Amino acid sequence: MALPVAFFAVFFAWPVAAIVARGLKVDGAWRFGRIVDVVAQSDIRHVLWFTTWQALASTALTLLIALPGAYVFARFDFPGKHVLRAVVTVPFVLPTVVVGTAFLALVGRGGLLDELWGVRLDTTVWAILLAHVFFNYAVVVRTVGGLWAQLDPRQEEAARMLGASSLKAWRRVTLPALAPAVAAAALMVFLFTFTSFGVVQILGGPTFSTLEVEIYRQTSEIFDLATAAVLTIVQFAAVVAILAVHAWTVRRRETALRLVDADLTARRPRGAGQWALLAGVLVTVVVLLLLPLAVLVQRSLGAADFGYYRALGGEDGGTFLVPPIEAIGNSVRYALAATAIAVVIGSLAAAALTRRDAGRLVRGFDALLMLPLGVSAVTVGFGFLIALDEPPLDLRSSWILVPLAQALVGVPFVVRTMLPVLRAVDVRLREAAAVLGASPWRVWREVDLPMVRRALLVAAGFAFAVSLGEFGATVFIARPDSPTLPVAVARLLGRPGDLNYGQAMALSTILMVVCAVALLVLERLRANRTGEF
Amino acid sequence: MLLSLEDATVRFGGRAVLDAVGLDVAEHEIVCVLGPSGSGKSTLLRAVAGLQPLSGGRVLLDGRDQTGVPAHKRGVGLMFQDHQLFPQRDVGGNVAFGPRMHGEAKGERAARVRELLELVGLPGAERRAVASLSGGEQQRVALARALAPRPRLLMLDEPLGQLDRSLRERLVVELREVFHELGTTVLAVTHDQGEAFALADRVVVMRDGGIAQSGTPLEVWQRPADEFVARFLGFDNVVAATVSGQVADTPWGKVPVPEGAPQGPAALLVRPAGVRLVEPAEGLRCTVAARTFRGTHVAVHLQPEDAPRLEAACALRDAPGPGDEVGVAFDAAEIVLLGKPSALGSGS
């Protein structure tokens, strides 16, 4: 418990406090009146309104489209399932900038749809909403589907025997058991879309702007740190309010679920309805998730003989101090370190939160852990830069700074993924181990760990993927001579010319492949370990 | 004393689930705590195991106060109600868990596992998956696992609760043999009197967090301490009575009582065997309300006019059918005067 708290105090609370102070303090005096001044501006009010409703709409749309997918992945067995599960996760780890660009290539001017039917969506909010669904599909499928796969189908059968129709049985038995996972997923999606940056930046144009984009604009284009800080505070308050609601709903009764081996619950679809559902989900995945990625790959191959790829290895015209290709190694190294940190900190936090005697203080920490997700990544990165650059903690020149920032974003995933499973472990199993002579630490290792290994692997995969794709914070603190993949992509996109555009596409494709490989390894690990469960 | 409880008290909210319980268990003794659900018997085990902190009083093992000693350092074993085998380990892994926690060497562990599985009648089952075991086999594995670290005190929580009857009856005999062979000290809880009587050297009946009676199975069966114990043991022929001399005045009329019975108001129990059926004119007039076949005998439920129902045990041949009119006479040898008169009429 102490370690996670210290971690968050030093690497989250302090930097955020530093940037707020930098923004609101003028000549040593606090000027809170600025908050009212800024929010009263009509264009800021417009930004606030748009941020909220597009996040709500995106969350609803994502749940609507992804919940059938979660069901199909949890309950059906079909060829290529493991590969497909990894594939749907790839969009989530892509840098937001690339997601935006891929959708621009699909639905924008001169995009695929424009070429074929003359349809353009880039001036409408639909492009943003669809990109958000593309981005968050995996969140719902992984979080909800992961639990769904381990729910005992016999519970539903028991309800059927008691006279419930299959729909009613699902609504009365399965849905309540899934509710915590659905709520967790919905909350995540809402927070991501509420703080959406890259996607809106590219697809929103001048019409649509979220708080995050506005903060970035104020910080890097107008250099109005004070206004940026005020906006950060507003966003912070909104996120705290959302999380307070979440913490309040979390206090629902925690029931010990009957968890079974996920492989036992999946079976071949039966009947026309189930085959149609499977087909529908597959079509959705292909059109919504694979098509933009295909367009991305196709654009990266725009030059003859893999010209864009070969250009990555060479010295370029001054965008980088090193060949762009080195960004791959940097990214993987950083992401591995960040994953290790996130898993350790997240597991400790989750274990502390699972204790039945956990007090109000600890439960509050649950919500606190989600804060880094809600607070603008730009703020975290910028805060790192100004807070951790002087004694006692001068990390500005240390490589660890980047993994730390990425871990900060990864920890909530680890906690969110592990908590439902840890809470479902029967407390008497732990007692049985204790009575047989296991100390509390051994109980965790011998009883909890084997049961949550699956969840832990999923969490680690998530943390790794998030670290790989992290952009907002990394862009501030990555050193110029060791950029990560997303940072390199953004720098290439920021420069004019077909070659830079093509190189960005090529590098994005590489990032996509690295993520896909990492996730495939993870799926393989899961498949091998299932015998132990 | 191996185990002593001194005024052990556990409160949940304001309610005392365990109310100043005093209990001693000697070495090699098998003590069975018997009581209805909610009487606090499981809490008693959890308190001894260190899984449930006491609100008051002490638990002593070998005379040493266990306050503040965590569960894993108490050296007692607990077999859970539904076994709680570790699902991710095979049978051998489950049994070896305790010795492994105590740092036993691998070779010794394997030998111990083999020996215990043989003892519980599952030789060679080491590699089997827990999920593939039947209820009875799970129970045996749970027993082997609980015995493996050689606990100084073994506690069993409803050890046979979920098994079917014939298996239960067989296993309870096996358990008793195993415990006597090993000289294990056992503290078991159950709600099943048959199980308790078959297993225990001494039976402790619990009620509302306190101890209602303690004694050998025979003592408890023959002389229930009070109406609660009598009813819990399945005796329903209990009424308020006033004893004078060799006769008690009851709602069923004059009933003979054994010699030396305490005089004055008391609760009176007539065992079903002491209810003799005679001609309707000769005794208490009753109508047969129901008849239950009990294997060795038939339980006949009799409804007198203006008095609580009576249960009689009849031989198979002479049992009257529902609706028949019979007379009832009482046998002084099967009549017990219970400790205190209490609110009667409930449940009759």
Side-chain angles (χ1 to χ4, degrees):
Chain A
M1 194 64 217
L3 189 60
V5 170
F7 179 80
F8 273 84
V10 174
F11 296 116
F12 179 65
W14 188 21
V16 170
I19 195 167
V20 169
R22 172 101 31 134
L24 279 188
K25 231 173 176 175
V26 181
D27 301 327
W30 292 97
R31 292 182 47 194
F32 294 106
R34 279 199 53 92
I35 296 177
V36 183
D37 297 346
V38 171
V39 174
Q41 293 167 25
S42 72
D43 54 337
I44 298 291
R45 276 218 309 274
H46 181 78
V47 165
L48 276 171
W49 167 237
F50 176 74
T51 307
T52 309
W53 86 255
Q54 65 80 21
L56 281 174
S58 300
T59 307
L61 199 63
T62 307
L63 285 179
L64 196 70
I65 293 175
L67 277 181
Y71 174 72
V72 164
F73 277 106
R75 287 288 196 238
F76 290 162
D77 198 13
F78 51 90
K81 182 175 161 181
H82 288 300
V83 180
L84 202 64
R85 196 189 345 231
V87 165
V88 301
T89 314
V90 170
F92 182 71
V93 301
L94 290 180
T96 50
V97 183
V98 177
V99 175
T101 317
F103 266 79
L104 207 57
L106 186 64
V107 302
R109 190 155 64 94
L112 194 64
L113 294 190
D114 197 9
E115 281 171 14
L116 291 177
W117 299 295
V119 175
R120 281 184 57 190
L121 293 174
D122 61 333
T123 49
T124 71
V125 74
W126 282 104
I128 294 176
L129 295 187
L130 284 178
H132 279 163
V133 175
F134 169 90
F135 196 58
N136 292 306
Y137 189 86
V139 177
V140 177
V141 168
R142 291 246 157 191
T143 320
V144 180
L147 182 65
W148 207 335
Q150 292 188 59
L151 282 185
D152 197 335
R154 282 175 301 178
Q155 298 264 311
E156 219 171 283
E157 286 166 9
R160 298 288 309 274
M161 294 313 293
L162 292 168
S165 66
S166 61
L167 186 70
K168 209 167 194 172
W170 182 81
R171 208 161 56 86
R172 297 277 180 192
V173 177
T174 307
L175 191 62
L178 283 180
V182 174
L187 188 83
M188 268 198 231
V189 175
F190 184 81
L191 281 178
F192 290 148
T193 50
F194 190 80
T195 60
S196 183
F197 174 47
V199 166
V200 182
Q201 173 93 333
I202 294 195
L203 295 173
T207 333
F208 303 114
S209 173
T210 57
L211 265 176
E212 185 88 341
V213 172
E214 195 62 24
I215 293 170
Y216 176 75
R217 217 167 58 85
Q218 299 284 350
T219 309
S220 68
E221 288 172 23
I222 307 174
F223 300 107
D224 185 351
L225 268 191
T227 301
V230 169
L231 290 177
T232 308
I233 293 165
V234 170
Q235 171 157 313
F236 201 90
V239 168
V240 167
I242 296 163
L243 290 175
V245 171
H246 170 71
W248 180 66
T249 55
V250 154
R251 232 167 286 162
R252 64 198 147 5
R253 255 172 48 126
E254 286 153 8
T255 46
L257 299 171
R258 283 181 62 91
L259 292 191
V260 294
D261 185 345
D263 284 356
L264 296 179
T265 64
R267 53 174 176 72
R268 293 261 157 178
R270 271 183 296 208
Q274 296 193 347
W275 280 107
L277 182 62
L278 175 59
V281 167
L282 290 181
V283 168
T284 308
V285 168
V286 168
V287 171
L288 194 71
L289 304 186
L290 293 184
L291 198 58
L293 299 182
V295 174
L296 177 71
V297 174
Q298 184 243 331
R299 306 257 150 163
S300 78
L301 296 173
D305 289 336
F306 297 97
Y308 293 144
Y309 288 90
R310 283 191 294 141
L312 291 175
E315 296 294 329
D316 74 324
T319 316
F320 303 104
L321 301 172
V322 292
I325 201 85
E326 287 193 7
I328 299 171
N330 293 335
S331 268
V332 171
R333 267 195 305 277
Y334 286 148
L336 282 176
T339 304
I341 298 170
V343 164
V344 169
I345 301 280
S347 301
L348 286 174
L353 288 171
T354 314
R355 294 179 49 163
R356 297 256 155 167
D357 53 353
R360 196 170 270 262
L361 204 73
V362 177
R363 277 205 298 270
F365 188 61
D366 184 14
L368 202 67
L369 280 171
M370 294 293 283
L371 271 181
L373 279 182
V375 172
S376 125
V378 172
T379 310
V380 171
F382 194 62
F384 259 49
L385 206 60
I386 63 170
L388 303 176
D389 66 341
E390 55 197 12
L393 207 55
D394 184 3
L395 296 174
R396 190 159 44 161
S397 57
S398 165
W399 66 274
I400 196 77
L401 203 57
V402 174
L404 278 173
Q406 294 176 344
L408 207 55
V409 184
V411 166
F413 287 94
V414 178
V415 174
R416 287 290 114 200
T417 315
M418 302 218 10
L419 260 188
V421 182
L422 271 177
R423 283 192 170 136
V425 174
D426 194 326
V427 68
R428 279 169 312 161
L429 269 183
R430 301 197 186 104
E431 292 178 351
V435 170
L436 287 168
S439 62
W441 155 244
R442 297 271 330 238
V443 169
W444 193 87
R445 219 185 74 192
E446 303 281 347
V447 176
D448 293 66
L449 186 61
M451 296 218 170
V452 301
R453 193 176 288 152
R454 181 186 292 265
L456 198 63
L457 281 172
V458 174
F462 248 137
F464 184 75
V466 168
S467 304
L468 270 185
E470 212 293 320
F471 172 62
T474 312
V475 74
F476 274 88
I477 50 183
R479 282 183 297 174
D481 58 346
S482 53
T484 65
L485 278 171
V487 171
V489 170
R491 282 197 207 157
L492 285 167
L493 276 179
R495 291 160 52 95
D498 277 351
L499 182 64
N500 282 321
Y501 187 77
Q503 282 192 68
M505 291 294 125
L507 215 48
S508 295
T509 306
I510 290 172
L511 176 57
M512 192 173 82
V513 169
V514 172
C515 291
V517 167
L519 287 163
L520 273 177
V521 169
L522 195 71
E523 291 289 333
R524 184 66 49 194
L525 266 175
R526 288 173 58 166
N528 285 345
R529 293 281 172 86
T530 46
E532 288 182 20
F533 288 94
Chain B
M1 279 300 142
L2 182 74
L3 168 70
S4 297
L5 274 78
E6 292 175 357
D7 291 329
T9 303
V10 172
R11 280 192 205 87
F12 291 146
R15 207 168 61 87
V17 179
L18 217 55
D19 194 1
V21 169
L23 176 67
D24 288 325
V25 179
E27 206 156 335
H28 307 309
E29 197 182 13
I30 301 178
V31 173
C32 214
V33 177
L34 185 60
S37 53
S39 59
K41 49 192 197 314
S42 288
T43 308
L44 177 79
L45 290 197
R46 294 173 56 79
V48 174
L51 298 171
Q52 173 65 54
L54 290 177
S55 319
R58 301 198 293 171
V59 171
L60 297 113
L61 284 166
D62 283 329
R64 271 190 292 279
D65 188 356
Q66 298 295 305
T67 310
V69 179
H72 66 280
K73 291 196 175 137
R74 292 202 178 184
V76 299
L78 174 59
M79 209 174 108
F80 284 77
Q81 190 166 1
D82 37 10
H83 313 319
Q84 296 297 335
L85 298 176
F86 301 124
Q88 73 279 10
R89 289 175 211 285
D90 57 16
V91 169
N94 266 280
V95 179
F97 189 90
R100 201 154 59 80
M101 291 305 116
H102 290 88
E104 254 181 56
K106 205 168 181 182
E108 278 172 53
R109 252 168 24 213
R112 179 89 180 130
V113 170
R114 202 177 319 115
E115 172 193 321
L116 280 164
L117 286 178
E118 231 155 77
L119 182 77
V120 299
L122 287 172
E126 279 94 338
R127 295 276 75 82
R128 288 183 62 185
V130 164
S132 73
L133 300 174
S134 71
E137 288 169 332
Q138 283 188 27
Q139 197 269 347
R140 288 156 197 262
V141 174
L143 175 65
R145 185 180 74 172
L147 286 170
R150 297 185 176 83
R152 45 185 169 171
L153 171 71
L154 177 64
M155 298 191 288
L156 315 171
D157 190 357
E158 301 277 359
L160 307 170
Q162 297 181 329
L163 306 178
D164 58 61
R165 192 187 167 88
S166 64
L167 187 60
R168 227 159 55 193
E169 283 171 2
R170 204 172 70 233
L171 281 172
V172 80
V173 177
E174 287 181 17
L175 279 178
R176 194 169 162 82
E177 280 172 10
V178 166
F179 296 150
H180 275 290
E181 194 182 319
L182 300 175
T184 319
T185 310
V186 176
L187 178 62
V189 307
T190 175
H191 66 273
D192 185 297
Q193 36 162 315
E195 208 171 292
F197 288 158
L199 188 65
D201 300 327
R202 186 152 60 91
V203 171
V204 174
V205 184
M206 279 191 79
R207 173 197 195 179
D208 295 338
I211 289 178
Q213 187 173 9
S214 169
T216 66
L218 196 63
E219 280 167 8
V220 173
W221 180 258
Q222 285 191 327
R223 301 207 56 83
D226 57 23
E227 192 196 344
F228 167 81
V229 177
R231 286 194 186 276
F232 182 69
L233 294 179
F235 297 123
D236 281 327
N237 298 340
V238 182
V239 284
T242 312
V243 183
S244 59
Q246 291 283 85
V247 177
D249 196 13
T250 74
W252 297 319
K254 301 279 184 200
V255 173
V257 294
E259 261 180 67
Q263 303 292 300
L268 178 140
L269 159 69
V270 185
R271 294 176 193 288
V275 180
R276 275 187 297 118
L277 300 188
V278 294
E279 287 305 310
E282 287 174 26
L284 175 68
R285 258 185 109 82
C286 298
T287 313
V288 176
R291 205 168 67 158
T292 320
F293 181 55
R294 289 274 165 81
T296 54
H297 66 275
V298 174
V300 182
H301 299 268
L302 302 163
Q303 182 66 63
E305 289 169 35
D306 306 327
R309 272 196 188 189
L310 271 165
E311 187 186 319
C314 291
L316 302 177
R317 274 173 288 123
D318 339 310
D324 289 356
E325 296 270 307
V326 295
V328 162
F330 297 96
D331 188 348
E334 297 291 338
I335 286 172
V336 183
L337 285 161
L338 305 173
K340 52 188 172 190
S342 53
L344 290 169
S346 62
S348 59

